[in-house]
Amino acid sequence: MSDGNFNRSLLPRTDYQSGVRAGRARERQRALDAFMGTLTSAFPTATDEEKARALQMFRHALEDKE
């Protein structure tokens, strides 16, 4: 019968680190969703290519901040 120690290697090192990573990922996705919503409402005539280029620039700006 196992004492459970083998399972520790499968878990993140601490709950704090995994929580921070999950929170950052969630907030990044919320920021991207908010940006796309704002972009669509502010520039309804923008083409899909222009929106994709703006989204790529915004993603790049988010990565630079981290």
Side-chain angles (χ1 to χ4, degrees):
M1 185 171 195
S2 173
D3 61 358
N5 287 332
F6 72 96
N7 288 335
R8 290 184 184 163
S9 66
L10 301 175
L11 298 173
R13 287 194 294 172
T14 64
D15 291 335
Y16 178 77
Q17 288 176 343
S18 61
V20 167
R21 270 185 261 136
R24 283 183 182 165
R26 178 69 183 128
E27 287 302 313
R28 185 181 305 115
Q29 188 59 47
R30 287 182 68 196
L32 292 172
D33 293 343
F35 179 76
M36 280 305 291
T38 303
L39 184 64
T40 302
S41 64
F43 302 103
T45 59
T47 65
D48 289 339
E49 182 180 311
E50 292 170 335
K51 290 178 184 178
R53 189 172 36 234
L55 184 61
Q56 182 181 15
M57 290 170 54
F58 186 73
R59 280 186 177 158
H60 183 56
L62 280 178
E63 290 172 5
D64 288 345
K65 299 292 181 188
E66 294 176 0

